[in-house]
Amino acid sequence: DLLGFGDDVSAMSVPTPAPVGPASLQSLSLKSGVILNGEDYQNKWSSVPDAEAVIIPALAMSTGPTSTDGVEEPLKAFNVFTMASGELSTEFKFFLYGQEEDAYGGGFFLIQAVVSKAPFDLSLTIKPSGGDTNPTKRKEKIDQLVELIKSALGEYFP
């Protein structure tokens, strides 16, 4: 055979993946069409202690958006919505949010995102509001949210 494993394919053992518990199967599912006004966003944001915020600093980007739409539109397709955004000389700023489906806890994820222009990178501050209070599950959901954001903005990442 070409790879030098021998001819007997049946003798090759294929490891069976470890069983996955139900908690690991839970994925982040965000509601579509959620609207959160500035006052509600600010109230939710200030009600979550800064110590509970998850900060993801400076995710390197290979390129960046030319306008706020270059971030808002791809995220909207993944049910991460914009409450406000703006462009400064050195960065784009976004105040974003998503809400879990009720079956998964119905909590909000409030996100402050900054895209620096030189060099391009993305920094996130995420505060969970309501929903699942289990710290392990919250961390898993926030990790999934970060991956969702990176996936939605995939064209900007190496």
Side-chain angles (χ1 to χ4, degrees):
D1 78 296
L2 292 174
L3 299 177
F5 289 127
D7 291 330
D8 188 4
V9 175
S10 65
M12 293 173 45
S13 79
V14 177
T16 334
V20 178
S24 299
L25 293 175
Q26 183 172 352
S27 63
L28 185 65
S29 181
L30 299 176
K31 289 182 178 183
S32 62
V34 177
I35 297 172
L36 192 62
N37 67 35
E39 184 179 344
D40 290 342
Y41 185 100
Q42 187 59 40
N43 287 339
K44 288 180 184 307
W45 182 271
S46 60
S47 72
V48 178
D50 288 344
E52 290 183 28
V54 175
I55 298 171
I56 313 290
L59 298 168
M61 301 169 81
S62 53
T63 183
T66 56
S67 72
T68 55
D69 285 347
V71 170
E72 293 176 33
E73 291 304 314
L75 288 176
K76 185 178 178 181
F78 285 82
N79 296 327
V80 175
F81 303 102
T82 305
M83 190 278 301
S85 65
E87 181 176 4
L88 303 170
S89 60
T90 59
E91 63 192 19
F92 293 98
K93 280 193 165 186
F94 303 88
F95 298 90
L96 309 163
Y97 62 93
Q99 184 180 16
E100 281 189 291
E101 294 286 352
D102 292 335
Y104 292 96
F108 278 89
F109 295 96
L110 308 170
I111 307 152
Q112 290 186 2
V114 176
V115 175
S116 298
K117 294 181 180 178
F120 280 111
D121 67 37
L122 172 66
S123 296
L124 302 169
T125 301
I126 303 170
K127 286 187 172 185
S129 175
D132 203 330
T133 56
N134 177 311
T136 304
K137 287 184 180 178
R138 268 196 170 172
K139 182 186 179 322
E140 286 175 5
K141 290 175 183 182
I142 289 172
D143 289 347
Q144 291 172 10
L145 178 61
V146 170
E147 289 308 310
L148 180 145
I149 290 169
K150 287 168 59 178
S151 176
L153 302 177
E155 68 180 287
Y156 304 124
F157 285 96

